[in-house]
């Protein structure tokens, strides 16, 4: 075994004694110092069901690391529950938590000179935050997803967290009984695990299998099931072996492996947030990857999984149908995945998939063969135009009306937009503009699940468009365009839109256009003044000061601008 890095870099003799004495206080023996120090970044918390089931997994990792000859060192990372903070001031902290988690992982691993790290997380930002920290530290690492939740049920209908947000809109319009509203509220989240559709948590965790940084099959397991404990223990054993081989994240995460991850996201109908997060992951890895690369991948990769929010099934259904390995095998056979990419096991993607069937099982309806794809091209499109010269992100598959030109209904905050929807002031054909909600403007780029779900609940999902410089939940569907860049607070054209202006959203032409003449736009721009910062102290102020454009991942360490 390679000697511990701490031992190699600390002066021999007397100088080592103070360092070792701290470990003796925690029960270490002299022989332990020949073994690698393996961090466990534990995202357990009782804040959210996404993370409240993580502690047993962390305990299993500790046991497995010890059995494999490593010294487990557990430290904590925070989480913000998107589902609980949605529609509140707290949602501004959600994206920020990605950066805090990344900083936690990097700081603990580097500050304590760990030889490897297992990152364990559940809620949406746990995955990209952990991966960014892993890449910055670049010691052997593996990501362990805490597992998905099982679907809720009310009157024979499967439910997810999005069900209750949409029920709010239906109930407020008199389209749902109080009995059903309360039944959905009480039953949509039945236990531990992350939100069950192909929303952001399951999108990111699934993509980590294709990236090569998580064990195959691990991302669609349900948190309460015994196989999740077994998979965590196996992940820990694989990590200790990777430390012995000195197999590092930057040996695995390459431009080609990011293409694999994005291909998987397109094939499964994943979250719009994946665009933002993979821009940030590529930045952390020092890989040349731009927002236009997503559009390049979209044109190549079909959607072959029928998963919520736009489809019928949830992650546990996908697991039974063959999981992410089955989807990857179909993509590999079609030449849409790089089989020579390395994985954390030390084997290539092709070697890992060798025993996976080339044809999905006939007794399932979740995964479709390539030649029977649900959509011939991917769903995450990059729209450009005068409103978004740096790009904006939209889900364009399944839209009945993919082109809409309508009058702008302008809101400078989420709450006033939600009030207008709930108050029956938004009509078919309107284009809602929610602005000053970007990385700098909000700050924190909150998700707009409350207004988009209210639109769906009001029966306007196919006839109203919504554009924003904020984000959307992975559970959002409909004619919605987010991540508009540059954002309003940075002088983007979205900040100059006035009530009633005609706006065109065209999914065919990938166009987002303010239909106002250039002279009028110039006049408005001359009168525009940047708003004063909403926060001048604390983490929100720091994020507003440091965050890059959404078109670059809203990262906080892009100091080359």
């Amino acid at each position: 075994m390679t000697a511990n890095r701490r031992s190699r870099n600390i002066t021999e003799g007397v100088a080592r004694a103070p360092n070792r004495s701290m470990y003796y206080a925690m029960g270490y023996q002299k022989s332990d110092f020949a073994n690698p120090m393996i961090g466990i970044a534990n995202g357990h918390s009782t804040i959210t069901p996404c993370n409240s089931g993580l502690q047993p997994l962390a305990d299993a990792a500790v046991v497995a690391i010890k059995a494999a000859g490593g010294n487990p060192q557990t430290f904590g990372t925070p989480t913000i529950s998107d589902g609980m903070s949605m529609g509140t001031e707290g949602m501004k902290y959600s994206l920020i938590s990605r950066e805090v988690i990344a900083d936690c992982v990097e700081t603990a691993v580097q500050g304590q000179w760990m030889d490897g790290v297992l990152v364990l997380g559940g809620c949406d930002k746990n995955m990209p935050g952990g991966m960014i920290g892993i890449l910055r530290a670049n010691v052997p690492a593996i990501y362990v997803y805490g597992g998905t939740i099982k679907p809720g049920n009310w009157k024979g209908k499967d439910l997810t967290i999005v069900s209750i947000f949409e029920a709010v809109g239906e109930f407020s319009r008199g389209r749902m009984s109080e009995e059903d509203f309360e039944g959905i509220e009480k039953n949509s989240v039945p236990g531990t695990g992350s939100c069950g559709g192909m929303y952001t948590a399951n999108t990111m965790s699934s993509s980590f299998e294709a990236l090569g940084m998580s064990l195959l099959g691990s991302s669609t397991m349900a948190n309460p099931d015994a196989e999740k404990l077994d998979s965590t223990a196996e992940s820990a054993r694989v990590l200790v072996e990777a430390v012995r081989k000195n197999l590092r994240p930057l040996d695995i995460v390459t431009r080609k492996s990011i293409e694999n991850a994005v291909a998987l996201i397109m094939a499964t109908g994943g979250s719009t947030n994946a665009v933002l997060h993979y821009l940030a992951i590529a930045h952390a890895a020092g890989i040349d990857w731009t927002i236009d690369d997503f559009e390049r991948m979209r044109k190549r990769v079909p959607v072959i999984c029928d998963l919520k929010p736009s489809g019928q099934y949830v992650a546990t259904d996908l697991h039974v149908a063959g999981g992410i390995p089955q989807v990857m095998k179909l993509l590999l056979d079609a030449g849409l995945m790089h089989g020579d990419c390395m994985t954390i096991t030390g084997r290539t993607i092709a070697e890992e998939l060798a025993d996976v069937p080339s044809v999905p099982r006939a007794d399932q309806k979740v995964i479709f063969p390539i030649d029977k794809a649900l959509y011939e091209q991917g769903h995450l499109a990059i729209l450009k135009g005068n409103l978004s010269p740096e790009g904006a992100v939209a889900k364009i598959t399944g839209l009945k009306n993919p082109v809409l030109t309508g009058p702008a209904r302008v809101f400078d905050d989420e709450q006033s937009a939600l009030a207008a929807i709930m108050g029956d002031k938004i009509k078919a054909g309107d284009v809602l503009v929610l602005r000053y909600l970007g990385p700098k403007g909000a700050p924190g780029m909150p998700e707009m699940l409350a207004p988009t779900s209210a639109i769906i609940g009001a029966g306007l999902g196919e006839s109203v468009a919504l554009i924003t410089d904020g984000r959307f939940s992975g559970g959002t569907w409909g004619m919605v365009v987010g991540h508009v860049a540059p954002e309003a607070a940075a002088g983007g054209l979205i900040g100059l839109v006035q009530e009633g202006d005609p706006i065109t959203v065209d999914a065919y032409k990938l166009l987002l256009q303010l239909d106002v003449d250039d002279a009028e736009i110039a006049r408005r721009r001359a009168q525009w003044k940047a708003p004063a910062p909403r926060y001048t102290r604390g983490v929100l102020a720091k994020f507003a000061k440091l965050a890059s454009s959404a078109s670059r991942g809203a990262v906080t360490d892009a100091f080359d601008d």
Side-chain angles (χ1 to χ4, degrees), residues 37-45 51 54-55 57-59 61-62 65 71-79 100-110 114 116-122 126-127 129-131 133-134 137 139-146 232 236 239:
M37 302 292 184
I38 309 293
I40 300 172
N42 183 7
H44 171 80
S45 79
N51 291 53
L54 297 187
Q55 191 57 49
L57 305 183
D59 294 340
V62 167
I65 288 170
N71 298 317
Q73 298 182 319
T74 303
F75 61 95
T77 61
T79 194
V100 175
I101 293 166
D103 291 349
C104 284
V105 172
E106 178 190 4
T107 300
V109 171
Q110 299 291 66
M114 295 173 184
V117 63
L118 181 153
V119 181
L120 173 62
N126 293 187
M127 272 65 71
M131 189 58 64
I134 281 171
V139 300
I142 194 166
Y143 200 96
V144 175
Y145 177 47
T232 302
L239 174 59

Side-chain angles (χ1 to χ4, degrees), residues 196-271:
M198 192 48 70
Y199 309 148
T200 304
N202 284 327
T203 296
M204 295 306 297
S205 61
S206 296
S207 74
F208 286 176
E209 290 190 37
L211 190 66
M213 291 298 294
S214 292
L215 296 187
L216 290 190
S218 63
S219 66
T220 50
M221 296 174 179
N223 173 263
D225 290 349
E227 66 177 345
K228 187 72 244 185
L229 282 170
D230 295 339
S231 176
T232 302
E234 178 61 19
S235 297
R237 289 189 287 269
V238 166
L239 174 59
V240 174
E241 186 59 29
V243 171
R244 293 190 176 105
K245 296 175 181 175
N246 196 28
L247 179 57
R248 296 170 181 256
L250 293 181
D251 299 325
I252 298 168
V253 179
T254 64
R255 182 175 171 84
K256 288 170 65 175
S257 70
I258 288 180
E259 286 192 347
N260 283 349
V262 174
L264 189 282
I265 291 163
M266 294 294 179
T268 55
S271 167

Side-chain angles (χ1 to χ4, degrees), residues 357-370:
S358 292
V359 178
R361 284 170 28 195
D363 63 345
Q364 57 83 39
K365 299 179 180 180
V366 185
I367 306 170
F368 288 71
I370 297 287

Side-chain angles (χ1 to χ4, degrees), residues 261-325:
V262 174
L264 189 282
I265 291 163
M266 294 294 179
T268 55
S271 167
T272 55
N273 284 305
V275 175
L276 192 76
H277 297 326
Y278 266 96
L279 286 167
I281 287 168
H283 171 78
I287 293 168
D288 180 19
W289 184 270
T290 73
I291 196 168
D292 294 325
D293 285 309
F294 291 94
E295 182 60 29
R296 174 176 59 84
M297 294 296 297
R298 184 190 72 81
K299 291 177 179 178
R300 294 182 58 225
V301 182
V303 179
I304 58 173
C305 294
D306 187 11
L307 295 166
K308 290 181 182 294
S310 55
Q312 300 184 63
Y313 299 101
V314 295
T316 50
D317 299 316
L318 176 60
H319 189 61
V320 173
I324 296 305

Side-chain angles (χ1 to χ4, degrees), residues 92-104 106 128-129 132-133 136 276-277 279-281 283-284 439-440 443-445 487 538-550 552-561:
K92 294 179 179 180
Y93 290 85
S94 170
L95 181 59
I96 293 173
S97 74
R98 182 191 75 180
E99 301 303 298
V100 175
I101 293 166
D103 291 349
C104 284
E106 178 190 4
I132 291 167
R136 289 180 191 166
L276 192 76
H277 297 326
L279 286 167
I281 287 168
H283 171 78
K440 294 181 178 296
M445 206 180 178
E487 62 174 291
V539 69
L540 290 171
K542 285 192 287 186
F543 188 84
K545 183 75 171 178
L546 296 172
S548 74
S549 169
R552 295 191 63 189
V555 298
T556 54
D557 61 347
F559 301 124
D560 56 339
D561 289 347

